[in-house]
Amino acid sequence: MSNYNYEALLDNLYAKLPKKNTFTGERFECPIVEVLNQGSKTIVKNFENACSKLRRKPEEVSKFLFKELAVPGELQQGGRLLLHGKFRDKQVNEKLNLYCKTQVLCSQCGKPDTHLQSTGERHGKVLKCEACGAVNPVRE
Ligand SMILES: [Zn+2]
């Protein structure tokens, strides 16, 4: 038996193996925040950190949370967010998840590589995807 045949056999074998999946995009996970209740107030502990994962300014994300939770609040030192209301972590994370879905993830390709852009109209904003180029209006 010749060496050549053996190699041909190997080549044949490798050709039959399934091709490696080239899809590298891991599913983006919305960050989860830790919540601390202090009397009638709520502190979101790792707020700034969560915002940086979303590539959004804490000011923008907090504005969304104040509106959705219908309470005022303020950004605090140490990357925390103070909410003037009592919320469980599930409630805060639900809203953060909503922000993630509506203002971060591209509705076309599902990637988080997006940025918000003003349309020039009053309250007009679009979500522009850097991965696939899709432009989608954002609900304010
Ligand atoms: Zn996209």
Side-chain angles (χ1 to χ4, degrees):
M1 105 160 215
S2 77
N3 213 10
Y4 172 80
N5 279 342
Y6 178 69
E7 274 179 8
L9 195 74
L10 267 186
D11 280 348
N12 199 20
L13 194 73
Y14 281 126
K16 278 181 189 156
L17 287 173
K19 289 264 184 300
K20 217 179 167 190
N21 195 350
T22 50
F23 179 68
T24 53
E26 287 170 45
R27 228 184 93 81
F28 179 77
E29 299 278 348
C30 180
I32 292 166
V33 289
E34 268 179 73
V35 159
L36 203 74
N37 286 124
Q38 263 187 9
S40 60
K41 290 172 186 169
T42 304
I43 291 166
V44 182
K45 278 166 82 180
N46 50 341
F47 185 67
E48 212 172 270
N49 190 269
C51 293
S52 74
K53 279 186 189 148
L54 296 172
R55 296 172 59 200
R56 292 289 182 270
K57 289 194 201 99
E59 290 80 11
E60 285 179 287
V61 186
S62 62
K63 223 172 87 185
F64 179 87
L65 289 182
F66 299 155
K67 206 178 149 190
E68 286 292 325
L69 295 166
V71 291
E74 63 237 31
L75 292 164
Q76 290 192 319
Q77 286 200 328
R80 294 169 160 211
L81 175 73
L82 176 75
L83 295 164
H84 290 274
K86 201 172 180 181
F87 301 102
R88 283 176 297 131
D89 58 351
K90 193 169 169 269
Q91 290 170 289
V92 180
N93 278 307
E94 255 169 30
K95 296 303 179 192
L96 193 68
N97 214 355
L98 183 68
Y99 182 89
C100 191
K101 275 187 196 148
T102 59
Q103 319 227 6
V104 178
L105 294 179
C106 171
S107 61
Q108 303 295 312
C109 71
K111 293 218 168 106
D113 312 314
T114 60
H115 61 265
L116 291 169
Q117 220 171 47
S118 172
T119 56
E121 285 165 50
R122 201 163 169 259
H123 300 309
K125 264 197 298 186
V126 289
L127 189 66
K128 207 167 170 211
C129 180
E130 288 151 28
C132 76
V135 179
N136 293 291
V138 171
R139 152 191 106 87
E140 191 67 38

